[in-house]
Amino acid sequence: MRAPAKELFRDAAFPASDSSLFSSFSTPLAQFREEITWRRPQEICATPRLFAGSPQEGQVKQGLLGDCWFLCACATLQKSRHLLDQVFPPGQPSWLDQTYRGSFTCRVWQFGRWVEVTVDDRLPCLAGRLCFSRCQREDVFWLPLLEKVYAKVHGSYEQLWAGQVADALVDLTGGLAERWNLKDVAGSSGQQDRPHGVEHKTCRQLLSLKDRCLLSCSVLGPRTGTRELGEFHAFIVSDLRELQDRAGQSILLLRIQNPWGRRCWQGPWRDGGEGWSRVEPAAQVELLSQLQDGEFWVEEDEFLREFDEVTIGFPSTEAGHLQSLHSGKVLCHTQELPGAWVKGQSAGGCRNNSGFPSNPKFWLRVFEPSEVYVGVLQRPRVRAAGHPGRDYQAVGLHLWKVEKRRVNLPRALSAPPVAGTACHAYDREVHLRCELGPGFYLAVPSTFLKDVPGQFLLRVFSTGRVALSAVPPAAPSPAPREVPPAGEWETVRLRGSWRVGRTAGGSRNFASYSSNPRFPLSVPVGAGPRCVRISLRQHCRDRQCLPIGFHVFQVPADGGGQDAPSLLLQEPLLSCVPHSYAQEVSRLCHLPAGAYHIVPSTYLPDTEGAFTVTVETRIDRAQGLWRRADRPGAHCPPRTTPQCAGRPKMRGLEHTAPHAPVCREA
């Protein structure tokens, strides 16, 4: 029997307490607050193991948490060993090993990169059993551990109440996912000009994809006679089978898995239903014997009638490349770039607005005929207290073919695009599929409303070689420089840089802001406030400027917390914002005696660049020159506090848009 060599790991960043369970106590989960306890797997069963011996044993089952959308996405890991290894790095400890210390590490894809997240293995329980997700065999723990990792990424378990299967699929694969509206298909059955067999083609596409990627279906509203399915609930399409009936006609059956873990279908293909009379008894025995807890069979027509949409994750190769859902071709070339809609600068709104040309623009160069997917993934904002989940803007994407890079942008954008989203959607990611010939294309992501700020990642997946670059914004007219008072000035110049993963913290909208460079400034006691001009100049090539700005924070008189990131959480004494695409920005101000921090930043985090901060201080001859010790000092890299991966702390942004349907518990 193994005895632990030391105390088991306890995750202080995601403790076994209410703060990890709840964000607002606004969901039905709150009624169990006093009853939930935390236990490690060896306290739940005698011989815990991480993975199951068969897919059936590892089948996902939903508990008290309304995260069916996430659990459906988790099922995709059982279809691909390389995806499972990507999320669960090999070498995880076993509860019987000497290496076991009570911690597990998973990877989650967040806004363009894989983030490692470590948690302890204390899991929420009711009456000694797991109260949230679990596997078919309750001694298998990969699913509840991954659910805890995902809850930590989002801040709490309650934040997982309601969401989109497509979002979770992207977070677990780093790929793409599509949602097909089945009512657009089934609703067209009465149209005279409907292409023959459109419904049949839709399900035949699913039949060809069933072994390569995850298929999920959702009910977004109540159904007469099938209320037991629940509304806003997601299911897994676990199999499709094509049979011949007794008359030789084709029948397509879909096996549906309900994460609730109970059979809830009363259609003609239930156990003992009349549908089975149409096929040979051997086929009936075979298909019914395959059903696990929570699974049932439906016929193609029933499926299109009773379910509202299908979500499909793009399949991927062993090398990690996506495959097209439509052609099966390998999308072996990828590019991505971050961008932002900045209020008053690059948040131009949709094509209905005259400001549309000011939106961020990107050059997409296609070197050979290619199938291309272009997506806009927006960075979400956590909703206000009382509303678990995440907020998204209505976003769209348009693509123009241009003859050359030196193009008249207003004229080009007034022409019809070669491709565009049908509408602006309240989805985390929207994407286009295009067959593009060689040449230059202009990609313009936009929000529906003008002056709505936000951040996004533009992603391109292509069968052929492509190149992606940002179109430099038009150089703004230089702002008139404030004329300083006459007199003698002392000038100090300090060099610095923003580096990815270290000092490129971005603006105050992001939790990483405190990692930006900080320059101490000391103003000595004098006859009154001292006249100071602070300038930030970035070292960039012409028309390749980053949006830059700075804030000045006053250090408390007692010096307490001077070097702590918490200092930067307070309101700055003065600011040079909004962040401007200019080579230099400056502020002329009057500062009373005291200690300060100057914090230069770019608008987006993880944006690299070099800069110089210049501090010009008017000399007060009555008080004498500054002593050297009073001058601004060299930059000391700040210490950063641990942060919850993928959870930006947004400040000062407004959002009043309605939301698209999401899958949750009824």
Side-chain angles (χ1 to χ4, degrees), residues 188 204 224 236 292 330 355 376 389 391 401 415 493 504 542 544 549 585 626-627:
S188 64
R204 286 302 179 277
T224 303
I236 299 166
Q292 303 293 319
V330 178
V376 179
D391 270 338
K401 177 75 165 64
R493 293 183 176 88
D542 292 342
Q544 291 186 353
V585 295
W626 275 15
R627 292 173 295 138

Side-chain angles (χ1 to χ4, degrees), residues 298-629:
V298 297
E299 194 174 356
E300 179 181 8
D301 290 342
E302 293 176 278
F303 178 74
L304 292 171
R305 183 176 62 250
E306 301 298 343
F307 291 89
D308 291 296
E309 70 176 23
V310 169
T311 301
I312 308 160
F314 279 51
S316 62
T317 66
E318 290 294 328
H321 300 307
L322 298 187
Q323 289 181 273
S324 168
L325 288 180
H326 302 272
S327 69
K329 296 179 181 178
V330 178
L331 306 171
C332 52
H333 297 273
T334 61
Q335 295 280 319
E336 62 182 39
L337 282 176
W341 296 289
V342 182
K343 183 176 180 179
Q345 296 184 34
S346 60
C350 67
R351 296 179 69 205
N352 295 336
N353 295 292
S354 60
F356 179 78
S358 67
N359 279 301
K361 294 170 284 292
F362 298 84
W363 291 116
L364 173 63
R365 186 176 184 182
V366 180
F367 292 92
E368 55 191 304
S370 303
E371 181 181 3
V372 181
Y373 288 82
V374 185
V376 179
L377 174 72
Q378 56 177 318
R379 187 187 288 270
R381 296 183 298 152
V382 178
R383 296 176 191 164
H387 300 278
R390 292 143 300 282
D391 270 338
Y392 302 106
Q393 302 292 347
V395 297
L397 174 66
H398 294 84
L399 208 64
W400 281 265
K401 177 75 165 64
V402 294
E403 293 300 325
K404 55 184 178 179
R405 295 190 67 164
R406 296 188 179 276
V407 64
N408 185 311
L409 288 177
R411 184 181 304 169
L413 298 181
S414 65
V418 297
T421 51
C423 63
H424 283 66
Y426 289 96
D427 293 328
R428 189 176 76 168
E429 184 168 28
V430 298
H431 67 258
L432 296 172
R433 174 187 176 270
C434 315
E435 296 284 348
L436 300 180
F440 285 99
Y441 296 83
L442 192 65
V444 183
S446 61
T447 57
F448 182 72
L449 297 175
K450 185 180 179 182
D451 284 335
V452 174
Q455 298 80 42
F456 63 86
L457 186 70
L458 189 71
R459 305 202 289 163
V460 178
F461 301 85
S462 174
T463 57
R465 191 162 62 94
V466 294
L468 185 67
S469 60
V471 177
S477 301
R481 191 175 176 91
E482 294 175 278
V483 179
E488 296 183 64
W489 293 74
E490 182 180 55
T491 301
V492 176
R493 293 183 176 88
L494 304 165
R495 298 289 296 270
S497 62
W498 298 290
R499 291 287 177 258
V500 171
R502 297 174 59 191
T503 58
S507 65
R508 294 182 68 226
N509 287 337
F510 299 92
S512 56
Y513 176 75
S514 61
S515 65
N516 279 303
R518 296 200 306 270
F519 295 92
L521 165 65
S522 178
V523 176
V525 176
R530 191 67 62 92
C531 186
V532 179
R533 179 164 58 191
I534 303 171
S535 302
L536 170 64
R537 183 179 182 84
Q538 60 178 314
H539 308 307
C540 60
R541 297 177 182 176
D542 292 342
R543 301 192 65 189
Q544 291 186 353
C545 293
L546 303 171
I548 59 171
F550 62 83
H551 298 279
V552 177
F553 298 85
Q554 186 166 17
V555 179
D558 58 4
Q562 179 174 342
D563 294 323
S566 59
L567 172 67
L568 305 188
L569 296 178
Q570 68 183 21
E571 284 301 310
L573 182 68
L574 65 93
S575 302
C576 186
V577 291
H579 288 68
S580 176
Y581 286 94
Q583 188 160 20
E584 182 175 292
V585 295
S586 66
R587 281 290 308 271
L588 183 68
C589 56
H590 289 79
L591 298 178
Y596 304 87
H597 278 297
I598 304 170
V599 183
S601 63
T602 57
Y603 184 74
L604 288 175
D606 289 339
T607 306
E608 292 207 339
F611 61 84
T612 297
V613 172
T614 301
V615 180
E616 301 169 86
T617 306
R618 189 171 184 272
I619 297 174
D620 184 354
R621 283 296 181 186
Q623 297 297 325
L625 294 174
W626 275 15
R627 292 173 295 138
R628 179 174 297 274

